[in-house]
Amino acid sequence: MKIRRHCLLAILTLLAGSPVMGQVPESITTPDKVETRIGTLDFQDGLPSKETLDAVYDDLDFSHAVRAFADTLQGVSICAVRKGLRDVGVKDNEVIIFSELMDAKSLFLTANCDTVYVIGGFDLSSGPMVIEVPPQVLGTVQDAWFRWVIDVGMPGPDRGAGGKYLIVPPGYEGALPAGEFNVAHSRTVHGVWFARAFLADGDDPKPTVERIKKYTKVYPYSPGGVGTPIAEFLAGKAKLGPITEPPATVIHEGSGKVMNTIPPNDWSYYEMLNEVVQGEPATALDPELMGPIAAIGIVKGKPFAPDARMKKILAEALDVANAASRSLFMSPRDRSWYYYEDANWQNMLFATGYEFETPIPLITKEGVKPFPATGYRQLDARRAFFYGVTGITPAMAMRLPGIGSTYLWTMVDSDQNYFDGGKTYKVTLPKDIPAEKFWSFTLYDTMTRSMLDTPQRFPRAGSQSYPSPAAEASADGSTTIYFGPTQPKGIARGNWIQTIPGKSFIPALRLYSPLEPFFNKQWRPSEVELVD
């Protein structure tokens, strides 16, 4: 009997620390009242009150709307580019060229005024399109969600010799040519392509413009024509069509025109987002990214018609999402985005790569040394990048000397203060600037992220002598550039970029065909210092 009594006591002791029947562990309960950032939430026996339901669902819709901006801003950005082109008469599958360079009147995210731009939107709804690019350009093709499709020109398969690119729409089942074209498959029906070309001898755009106009062509692909071997027809793999001259490409002049290609942050943002969703296949974007868009009422094949409650939430979410995106771009808190550990110059792509996931591979004497995949997307970096920049490609995120271009920018001076357009600053580039082609500084408007619009028209300084005089080096080989409202006394015109009192700005350094001293950080610019 005593043994039984001791066994029972032992069992009861073991159970004393465990929940007994009918007792719910506190860790899985929801208190009757929960204090949160959206207010006090009431739950009676786990049941949300009417007021709690209203608060929770408002916050849930708000969260979806913020994500719809943060994760898919790039799609609206492409839509804004195509709209800006249409506004000046450039239809899809046509081309605009800036023969006298792009200036500060047109609004383009961080474009430059050092190279000749050729830009076009594309529409693949009638089938594949051919883009013929001229020799010696740097370019890329982007789909409607701003994803990289293929590089063209020097970083692309033609390697600067010029070539034909066949852009294929999603779901295309027809035969494709062999050998004649560089074939690339777009996941969307619409998109944008653009290329930049260097000036002849750094000071004359005319020969470059003539070459672009001569060799640039955009036209529909004709199945069975050029690129289709007779053997494939005989094998029953392809039909045979006539060899015909493609229709002439419509080329517009861009210099002197004013257009806005910046994604909006008012209600028209949602309207443009809806335009992108309606114009592309339902499967064009990852379902996880499309989820928040659908949650706020933007669904392919359905009208976007939010009620008054939802409109209020969407408007507030837009304000918050825009503020967060602007803050990430203007004042990043992640030190890995900065190129030097102890400096303000930044470019997040070196840490994230062009897909915002794995850092840019190292280039060693033994070859390419890739970093291991991180397995996660750096969402803040992607969000900041697309808020301020147009174009994404591996060519913007590589450490290969002598090819492509690289960029550094800073939002603050050496004292960690934002720039004041009423003051004068200077930055010094040590001798032997590591740019095989050329280098330049460009100033951007902090509000528009476009070139700073001043009486100078072209807010740049650099090694080229067009469209403003080339910068002059000092006796020791270094070059100092000044940013200020008036040209400093004793400073050459080519070493000064004008600013505007009462307006801040962003200095950006470009190195075209950067060299090894930049990548190994043996060479680095000074911080931007306040002069007076």
Side-chain angles (χ1 to χ4, degrees), residues 202-235:
D203 61 3
D204 187 0
K206 291 181 181 178
T208 301
V209 171
E210 291 174 1
R211 184 174 72 248
I212 291 174
K213 289 183 176 180
K214 179 179 180 180
Y215 291 104
T216 301
K217 297 178 182 179
V218 179
Y219 53 88
Y221 168 63
S222 297
V226 173
T228 303
I230 298 294
E232 287 199 3
F233 166 70
L234 295 175

Short mmCIF file of all heavy atoms in Angstrom, two decimals, residues 202-235:
data_model
loop_
_atom_site.label_atom_id
_atom_site.label_comp_id
_atom_site.label_asym_id
_atom_site.label_seq_id
_atom_site.Cartn_x
_atom_site.Cartn_y
_atom_site.Cartn_z
N GLY A 202 35.76 62.57 -77.18
CA GLY A 202 35.33 63.23 -75.96
C GLY A 202 34.76 64.61 -76.12
O GLY A 202 34.48 65.29 -75.12
N ASP A 203 34.60 65.09 -77.38
CA ASP A 203 34.14 66.47 -77.50
C ASP A 203 33.22 66.73 -78.68
O ASP A 203 32.94 67.88 -79.01
CB ASP A 203 35.34 67.41 -77.59
CG ASP A 203 36.22 67.13 -78.81
OD1 ASP A 203 35.86 66.25 -79.61
OD2 ASP A 203 37.26 67.80 -78.94
N ASP A 204 32.76 65.68 -79.35
CA ASP A 204 31.91 65.91 -80.52
C ASP A 204 30.85 64.81 -80.63
O ASP A 204 31.17 63.66 -80.92
CB ASP A 204 32.77 65.92 -81.79
CG ASP A 204 31.96 66.33 -83.03
OD1 ASP A 204 30.75 66.60 -82.89
OD2 ASP A 204 32.57 66.38 -84.12
N PRO A 205 29.58 65.13 -80.42
CA PRO A 205 28.53 64.12 -80.50
C PRO A 205 28.11 63.77 -81.93
O PRO A 205 27.47 62.73 -82.14
CB PRO A 205 27.37 64.76 -79.75
CG PRO A 205 27.57 66.23 -79.93
CD PRO A 205 29.06 66.44 -79.97
N LYS A 206 28.44 64.59 -82.92
CA LYS A 206 27.89 64.40 -84.25
C LYS A 206 28.25 63.05 -84.87
O LYS A 206 27.36 62.34 -85.38
CB LYS A 206 28.32 65.55 -85.16
CG LYS A 206 27.68 66.88 -84.79
CD LYS A 206 28.12 68.00 -85.73
CE LYS A 206 27.48 69.33 -85.33
NZ LYS A 206 27.93 70.44 -86.21
N PRO A 207 29.52 62.63 -84.89
CA PRO A 207 29.82 61.31 -85.48
C PRO A 207 29.11 60.17 -84.75
O PRO A 207 28.68 59.20 -85.38
CB PRO A 207 31.35 61.21 -85.34
CG PRO A 207 31.82 62.62 -85.25
CD PRO A 207 30.74 63.34 -84.50
N THR A 208 28.99 60.30 -83.44
CA THR A 208 28.30 59.28 -82.65
C THR A 208 26.83 59.22 -83.03
O THR A 208 26.26 58.14 -83.21
CB THR A 208 28.45 59.58 -81.15
OG1 THR A 208 29.84 59.60 -80.82
CG2 THR A 208 27.73 58.55 -80.31
N VAL A 209 26.21 60.39 -83.17
CA VAL A 209 24.80 60.45 -83.53
C VAL A 209 24.57 59.86 -84.92
O VAL A 209 23.61 59.10 -85.14
CB VAL A 209 24.29 61.91 -83.47
CG1 VAL A 209 22.90 62.03 -84.06
CG2 VAL A 209 24.32 62.42 -82.04
N GLU A 210 25.45 60.17 -85.85
CA GLU A 210 25.32 59.62 -87.20
C GLU A 210 25.41 58.10 -87.18
O GLU A 210 24.66 57.41 -87.90
CB GLU A 210 26.41 60.22 -88.10
CG GLU A 210 26.22 61.70 -88.39
CD GLU A 210 27.38 62.30 -89.17
OE1 GLU A 210 28.34 61.54 -89.48
OE2 GLU A 210 27.36 63.51 -89.45
N ARG A 211 26.32 57.57 -86.38
CA ARG A 211 26.46 56.11 -86.29
C ARG A 211 25.21 55.48 -85.68
O ARG A 211 24.74 54.44 -86.16
CB ARG A 211 27.69 55.77 -85.44
CG ARG A 211 27.98 54.27 -85.36
CD ARG A 211 29.28 53.98 -84.63
NE ARG A 211 29.18 54.21 -83.20
CZ ARG A 211 29.82 55.17 -82.55
NH1 ARG A 211 30.61 56.02 -83.23
NH2 ARG A 211 29.69 55.32 -81.25
N ILE A 212 24.67 56.11 -84.66
CA ILE A 212 23.45 55.57 -84.02
C ILE A 212 22.30 55.57 -85.02
O ILE A 212 21.57 54.58 -85.16
CB ILE A 212 23.10 56.40 -82.78
CG1 ILE A 212 24.15 56.18 -81.68
CG2 ILE A 212 21.71 56.02 -82.25
CD1 ILE A 212 23.96 57.06 -80.46
N LYS A 213 22.11 56.66 -85.72
CA LYS A 213 21.00 56.75 -86.68
C LYS A 213 21.16 55.77 -87.83
O LYS A 213 20.17 55.25 -88.36
CB LYS A 213 20.88 58.19 -87.20
CG LYS A 213 20.36 59.18 -86.16
CD LYS A 213 20.19 60.57 -86.76
CE LYS A 213 19.59 61.53 -85.75
NZ LYS A 213 19.42 62.90 -86.31
N LYS A 214 22.39 55.51 -88.21
CA LYS A 214 22.64 54.61 -89.33
C LYS A 214 22.35 53.15 -88.99
O LYS A 214 21.77 52.42 -89.79
CB LYS A 214 24.09 54.75 -89.80
CG LYS A 214 24.46 53.84 -90.96
CD LYS A 214 25.91 54.04 -91.38
CE LYS A 214 26.28 53.12 -92.53
NZ LYS A 214 27.70 53.31 -92.95
N TYR A 215 22.73 52.76 -87.76
CA TYR A 215 22.67 51.34 -87.42
C TYR A 215 21.52 50.94 -86.51
O TYR A 215 21.23 49.75 -86.37
CB TYR A 215 23.99 50.91 -86.77
CG TYR A 215 25.17 50.92 -87.72
CD1 TYR A 215 26.11 51.93 -87.67
CD2 TYR A 215 25.32 49.92 -88.66
CE1 TYR A 215 27.19 51.94 -88.53
CE2 TYR A 215 26.40 49.92 -89.54
CZ TYR A 215 27.34 50.94 -89.46
OH TYR A 215 28.41 50.95 -90.33
N THR A 216 20.85 51.89 -85.88
CA THR A 216 19.77 51.53 -84.95
C THR A 216 18.49 51.23 -85.72
O THR A 216 18.01 52.06 -86.51
CB THR A 216 19.52 52.66 -83.94
OG1 THR A 216 20.72 52.92 -83.21
CG2 THR A 216 18.41 52.28 -82.98
N LYS A 217 17.95 50.06 -85.49
CA LYS A 217 16.71 49.66 -86.15
C LYS A 217 15.84 48.87 -85.16
O LYS A 217 16.35 48.10 -84.35
CB LYS A 217 16.99 48.80 -87.38
CG LYS A 217 17.78 49.50 -88.48
CD LYS A 217 18.05 48.56 -89.65
CE LYS A 217 18.87 49.25 -90.72
NZ LYS A 217 19.16 48.35 -91.86
N VAL A 218 14.54 49.09 -85.24
CA VAL A 218 13.58 48.34 -84.44
C VAL A 218 12.44 47.92 -85.37
O VAL A 218 11.82 48.78 -86.01
CB VAL A 218 13.03 49.18 -83.26
CG1 VAL A 218 12.01 48.37 -82.47
CG2 VAL A 218 14.16 49.67 -82.36
N TYR A 219 12.17 46.61 -85.45
CA TYR A 219 11.14 46.15 -86.39
C TYR A 219 10.64 44.77 -85.97
O TYR A 219 11.32 44.05 -85.23
CB TYR A 219 11.68 46.12 -87.81
CG TYR A 219 12.96 45.33 -87.99
CD1 TYR A 219 12.95 43.96 -88.25
CD2 TYR A 219 14.19 45.97 -87.89
CE1 TYR A 219 14.13 43.25 -88.42
CE2 TYR A 219 15.39 45.27 -88.06
CZ TYR A 219 15.34 43.91 -88.31
OH TYR A 219 16.52 43.20 -88.47
N PRO A 220 9.46 44.37 -86.45
CA PRO A 220 8.92 43.04 -86.11
C PRO A 220 9.77 41.93 -86.75
O PRO A 220 10.29 42.09 -87.85
CB PRO A 220 7.50 43.06 -86.70
CG PRO A 220 7.20 44.50 -86.96
CD PRO A 220 8.51 45.16 -87.24
N TYR A 221 9.85 40.84 -86.04
CA TYR A 221 10.55 39.67 -86.58
C TYR A 221 9.64 38.95 -87.58
O TYR A 221 8.45 38.74 -87.32
CB TYR A 221 10.92 38.73 -85.44
CG TYR A 221 11.38 37.37 -85.89
CD1 TYR A 221 12.53 37.21 -86.65
CD2 TYR A 221 10.64 36.23 -85.56
CE1 TYR A 221 12.95 35.97 -87.07
CE2 TYR A 221 11.05 34.97 -85.97
CZ TYR A 221 12.21 34.84 -86.73
OH TYR A 221 12.62 33.61 -87.14
N SER A 222 10.22 38.55 -88.74
CA SER A 222 9.47 37.82 -89.77
C SER A 222 9.87 36.35 -89.72
O SER A 222 10.98 36.00 -90.17
CB SER A 222 9.77 38.38 -91.16
OG SER A 222 9.34 39.72 -91.26
N PRO A 223 9.04 35.48 -89.18
CA PRO A 223 9.38 34.05 -89.11
C PRO A 223 9.65 33.48 -90.49
O PRO A 223 8.95 33.79 -91.46
CB PRO A 223 8.13 33.42 -88.49
CG PRO A 223 7.46 34.53 -87.75
CD PRO A 223 7.73 35.76 -88.57
N GLY A 224 10.69 32.68 -90.58
CA GLY A 224 11.01 32.04 -91.85
C GLY A 224 11.91 32.86 -92.73
O GLY A 224 12.33 32.40 -93.80
N GLY A 225 12.25 34.09 -92.31
CA GLY A 225 13.11 34.94 -93.11
C GLY A 225 14.56 34.83 -92.69
O GLY A 225 15.07 33.73 -92.44
N VAL A 226 15.23 35.97 -92.60
CA VAL A 226 16.64 35.98 -92.19
C VAL A 226 16.79 35.30 -90.84
O VAL A 226 16.04 35.56 -89.89
CB VAL A 226 17.16 37.43 -92.11
CG1 VAL A 226 18.57 37.46 -91.53
CG2 VAL A 226 17.15 38.06 -93.49
N GLY A 227 17.75 34.40 -90.73
CA GLY A 227 17.98 33.67 -89.50
C GLY A 227 17.41 32.27 -89.51
O GLY A 227 17.65 31.48 -88.59
N THR A 228 16.63 31.91 -90.53
CA THR A 228 16.03 30.58 -90.63
C THR A 228 16.78 29.76 -91.68
O THR A 228 16.67 30.03 -92.88
CB THR A 228 14.55 30.67 -91.01
OG1 THR A 228 13.85 31.46 -90.05
CG2 THR A 228 13.93 29.27 -91.06
N PRO A 229 17.53 28.75 -91.27
CA PRO A 229 18.24 27.92 -92.26
C PRO A 229 17.26 27.10 -93.10
O PRO A 229 16.22 26.65 -92.62
CB PRO A 229 19.10 26.99 -91.37
CG PRO A 229 19.14 27.64 -90.02
CD PRO A 229 17.85 28.38 -89.89
N ILE A 230 17.61 26.90 -94.35
CA ILE A 230 16.79 26.07 -95.24
C ILE A 230 16.66 24.66 -94.67
O ILE A 230 15.62 24.01 -94.79
CB ILE A 230 17.40 26.02 -96.66
CG1 ILE A 230 17.42 27.42 -97.27
CG2 ILE A 230 16.62 25.06 -97.55
CD1 ILE A 230 16.07 28.01 -97.54
N ALA A 231 17.73 24.18 -94.02
CA ALA A 231 17.71 22.82 -93.47
C ALA A 231 16.59 22.64 -92.45
O ALA A 231 15.99 21.56 -92.36
CB ALA A 231 19.06 22.50 -92.82
N GLU A 232 16.30 23.69 -91.68
CA GLU A 232 15.22 23.58 -90.69
C GLU A 232 13.87 23.47 -91.39
O GLU A 232 12.97 22.78 -90.91
CB GLU A 232 15.24 24.79 -89.73
CG GLU A 232 16.40 24.75 -88.75
CD GLU A 232 16.16 25.65 -87.55
OE1 GLU A 232 15.06 26.25 -87.46
OE2 GLU A 232 17.05 25.73 -86.70
N PHE A 233 13.72 24.19 -92.50
CA PHE A 233 12.47 24.07 -93.28
C PHE A 233 12.34 22.65 -93.84
O PHE A 233 11.27 22.04 -93.75
CB PHE A 233 12.48 25.10 -94.41
CG PHE A 233 11.43 24.86 -95.46
CD1 PHE A 233 10.08 25.06 -95.18
CD2 PHE A 233 11.79 24.40 -96.72
CE1 PHE A 233 9.11 24.82 -96.15
CE2 PHE A 233 10.82 24.16 -97.69
CZ PHE A 233 9.48 24.38 -97.40
N LEU A 234 13.43 22.11 -94.39
CA LEU A 234 13.39 20.77 -94.98
C LEU A 234 13.13 19.71 -93.92
O LEU A 234 12.55 18.66 -94.21
CB LEU A 234 14.71 20.48 -95.70
CG LEU A 234 15.00 21.37 -96.92
CD1 LEU A 234 16.38 21.07 -97.47
CD2 LEU A 234 13.94 21.20 -97.99
N ALA A 235 13.55 20.00 -92.66
CA ALA A 235 13.33 19.04 -91.58
C ALA A 235 11.96 19.22 -90.95
O ALA A 235 11.61 18.50 -90.00
CB ALA A 235 14.42 19.20 -90.52
#
